[in-house]
Amino acid sequence: MKRSLCLALLLTSASWFGMALAAPNSTPATPHPTETTTLIVKPYTIEVNGKKANVYRIEQPDGTWGYRGTEGRMFRVTVKNDTNVPTVLHWHGLILPNSQDGVPGITQPPIMPGQSYHYLFPLVQSGTYWMHSHYAGQIQQQMSAPLIIDDPKEAKTPEALLFLSDFSFKTPEAIFTHLKHGNDAMPSMTMSDSKNAMSGMQMNANSHSMAMPNNGNPGDLYDVDYDALLTNYRTLDNPDITQVKPGETIRLRVIDGGSGTNFFVNLGTLSGKLIAIDGEAIRPISGKQFTLSLGQRLDILVTIPKNGAYPIIAQGEGTKLQTGIILATPGAHIPKLSQTASVAAGAISTAQELAAHAVNPLVNKPIENTLHVVLTGDMSTYTWEINGKMWPAYVPLEVEHGQRVEIDFENHNGMAHPMHLHGHVFQIIEINGKKTDGALHDTILVPAHGDIKVILDANNPGNWLLHCHVLYHQMGGMMTLMNYIGIPLPPKGTQAM
Ligand SMILES: [Cu+2]
């Protein structure tokens, strides 16, 4: 059973690989080298606010967090589940065969405790990507890691990683139940949880009224009061310090790997150039502050002017909580940084998206199929829908292989939704009625009461999830499938997370 499954995967990948990578003038005899590794998913302990916290980590046998690969190579990876819970890993942003996408019930069964699962696919992109659990609420328990793919033709520059996340001492299930049923339903509370239940009650007062329907309320920037924001597993009490030299240009790779937080990235006294969004090159945008939503990535170049310490701070949308790293030259005085800013951050605007233009836009082609994606929800019942349906009662979005497709996202909520489509890259063409020759993305923040139009080429057959990357909205039903006509749909009731 297992061997035949592996063979099927190999055949699917191999034929797809031939299609995707054999450029007309390439020498067919040249084999594409294979990168082989193991990624171990395991329990991990970190310290947050002076307390031990049990989370997860995805690392190679030598302890390296996540993976760094090279474009043009086959990626052969064994994912080993060394936890006591089932899991599945999804390769966020990668264009790969549907069978390798890592969605439970749709592309594979869950990987049970102690078991391994083999993936094999070509790396056809380069840039900043990430991997994360697509099972239950594990993404909130830090079951995620960077996935960086180098372009072999590109010169190496010094880098700094900012893998941003949010942290709660509560379980994702407890948070979701609380969001759904309010204060009277904290399940199986322990002594230490009772304090968290208190902060849960403050959630009502601080973030927004959970008893009010979300529609029509423009002030909804987040749903959950987290205990801390993290960068590379650390709080600002003890941040990562990246050694730099005066005159050096550093490539910041910023990943929003949280479960419910969009971020403002502040460069402090440095000036930056945003050169890529979601791994795809854009015409550089200069600035001191940039924004990213859950699931998205930014590549920003900063030049170190002189000796010193340069904090790079990411503040959560709508909150005072902040996180980050420090770039420091040798011997520089390292400042003490607070985990809270003096003022809460506002809402992320569409300014950066309107200013962003792809270096390699999609070729001009008539639209052959327009898909409508209407986002609705109700805070009082904490239900979230796409086209009036909650997963798993979805109605698939149907495309035909080869079509140029437009997706019109229309958000009826007072809250923005970071919408992620698996297995494809799309280009923004309209933002709140304004036409643009925008950036390429795999995840786009659809503004509150706003709309976004994107285009893509349907050239990767399969069943591909389209969902909100706010974990609790996804749990609350905001998920559907883009189905290629002719590919059988998964069985009714499939959870897919
Ligand atoms: Cu959402």
Side-chain angles (χ1 to χ4, degrees):
M1 164 69 193
K2 204 163 177 192
R3 182 178 297 168
S4 65
L5 181 67
C6 279
L7 184 65
L9 295 181
L10 190 75
L11 290 173
T12 320
S13 301
S15 57
W16 191 90
F17 177 57
M19 227 165 57
L21 285 186
N25 54 357
S26 69
T27 317
T30 312
H32 297 283
T34 299
E35 304 186 1
T36 303
T37 194
T38 299
L39 288 167
I40 303 157
V41 186
K42 54 181 240 185
Y44 193 58
T45 308
I46 57 171
E47 196 179 294
V48 178
N49 304 339
K51 284 194 286 187
K52 289 262 177 276
N54 296 320
V55 294
Y56 294 106
R57 184 174 164 97
I58 306 167
E59 64 178 35
Q60 296 173 49
D62 69 358
T64 304
W65 185 28
Y67 189 74
R68 181 158 201 142
T70 306
E71 183 182 354
R73 296 203 182 149
M74 287 300 285
F75 183 44
R76 183 194 300 274
V77 56
T78 299
V79 173
K80 188 165 184 297
N81 181 1
D82 275 358
T83 74
N84 59 10
V85 286
T87 191
V88 171
L89 285 196
H90 167 62
W91 319 99
H92 186 117
L94 294 197
I95 296 171
L96 36 57
N98 194 224
S99 62
Q100 307 299 291
D101 194 39
V103 179
I106 294 188
T107 69
Q108 67 170 89
I111 312 169
M112 301 312 283
Q115 300 290 302
S116 292
Y117 197 84
H118 307 284
Y119 298 85
L120 176 67
F121 54 86
L123 301 172
V124 298
Q125 297 144 286
S126 61
T128 306
Y129 296 87
W130 64 301
M131 62 185 84
H132 61 79
S133 164
H134 216 287
Y135 194 85
Q138 290 166 350
I139 201 167
Q140 190 212 293
Q141 295 161 308
Q142 321 301 322
M143 201 187 280
S144 51
L147 176 55
I148 311 297
I149 307 170
D150 288 317
D151 176 350
K153 300 181 295 294
E154 208 171 70
K156 293 253 188 303
T157 45
E159 299 186 354
L161 173 74
L162 288 95
F163 192 100
L164 309 175
S165 184
D166 36 31
F167 174 83
S168 175
F169 281 101
K170 278 180 259 176
T171 66
E173 291 73 22
I175 289 178
F176 183 67
T177 305
H178 184 61
L179 287 165
K180 205 147 177 77
H181 302 291
N183 296 323
D184 53 354
M186 287 298 287
S188 59
M189 270 200 304
T190 63
M191 284 298 280
S192 70
D193 277 341
S194 59
K195 212 160 88 192
N196 295 326
M198 291 294 290
S199 70
M201 283 197 275
Q202 288 161 9
M203 189 159 31
N204 274 339
N206 289 351
S207 57
H208 52 241
S209 167
M210 298 204 311
M212 291 280 282
N214 199 19
N215 294 0
N217 179 357
D220 288 333
L221 300 181
Y222 64 96
D223 288 353
V224 176
D225 274 342
Y226 289 98
D227 291 310
L229 298 180
L230 307 177
T231 304
N232 309 338
Y233 283 110
R234 290 161 176 266
T235 62
L236 274 181
D237 288 347
N238 180 26
D240 256 355
I241 296 167
T242 302
Q243 290 293 324
V244 296
K245 295 189 198 106
E248 205 169 47
T249 296
I250 312 291
R251 179 179 187 150
L252 305 176
R253 294 187 185 266
V254 191
I255 301 167
D256 186 345
S259 57
T261 309
N262 304 316
F263 286 96
F264 291 86
V265 178
N266 295 305
L267 305 179
T269 59
L270 298 174
S271 300
K273 250 189 229 160
L274 177 61
I275 57 163
I277 300 177
D278 286 0
E280 296 282 349
I282 58 159
R283 290 192 242 137
I285 302 174
S286 297
K288 286 180 163 295
Q289 186 187 67
F290 297 100
T291 57
L292 78 166
S293 79
L294 286 155
Q296 291 183 335
R297 290 85 61 208
L298 302 180
D299 286 53
I300 305 166
L301 298 181
V302 293
T303 301
I304 307 302
K306 55 180 200 261
N307 278 316
Y310 302 92
I312 308 292
I313 301 295
Q315 187 175 351
E317 186 187 30
T319 92
K320 287 185 176 181
L321 288 181
Q322 57 183 14
T323 178
I325 63 166
I326 299 175
L327 306 177
T329 58
H333 168 74
I334 304 297
K336 273 265 156 246
L337 299 168
S338 170
Q339 287 195 66
T340 47
S342 49
V343 182
I348 289 177
S349 79
T350 54
Q352 182 176 298
E353 214 52 72
L354 283 164
H357 304 287
V359 168
N360 304 303
L362 297 196
V363 294
N364 216 353
K365 228 176 126 180
I367 308 292
E368 294 165 294
N369 183 0
T370 301
L371 306 173
H372 296 277
V373 175
V374 177
L375 308 173
T376 50
D378 185 345
M379 279 304 280
S380 62
T381 51
Y382 210 75
T383 50
W384 302 95
E385 301 107 14
I386 293 178
N387 295 336
K389 300 286 184 189
M390 278 169 66
W391 187 276
Y394 67 98
V395 175
L397 304 162
E398 291 189 325
V399 299
E400 246 174 84
H401 191 186
Q403 276 179 334
R404 169 61 58 90
V405 175
E406 179 178 311
I407 306 181
D408 295 355
F409 292 99
E410 200 181 300
N411 186 357
H412 292 191
N413 289 144
M415 187 167 194
H417 297 284
M419 299 302 295
H420 172 47
L421 175 64
H422 289 213
H424 294 75
V425 166
F426 51 80
Q427 189 184 5
I428 316 295
I429 58 161
E430 199 178 305
I431 300 167
N432 289 341
K434 278 191 207 123
K435 297 247 183 284
T436 182
D437 186 18
L440 297 166
H441 276 273
D442 49 65
T443 310
I444 180 65
L445 188 63
V446 184
H449 298 295
D451 41 74
I452 297 260
K453 292 182 180 170
V454 308
I455 51 171
L456 62 92
D457 287 315
N459 53 14
N460 194 5
N463 283 315
W464 299 99
L465 277 190
L466 171 67
H467 65 89
C468 181
H469 228 279
V470 174
L471 173 67
Y472 319 98
H473 294 183
Q474 194 186 351
M475 287 170 129
M478 197 172 261
M479 192 152 75
T480 190
L481 269 189
M482 189 172 88
N483 165 256
Y484 279 65
I485 291 168
I487 306 273
L489 287 165
K492 271 207 161 61
T494 296
Q495 282 309 305
M497 66 177 292

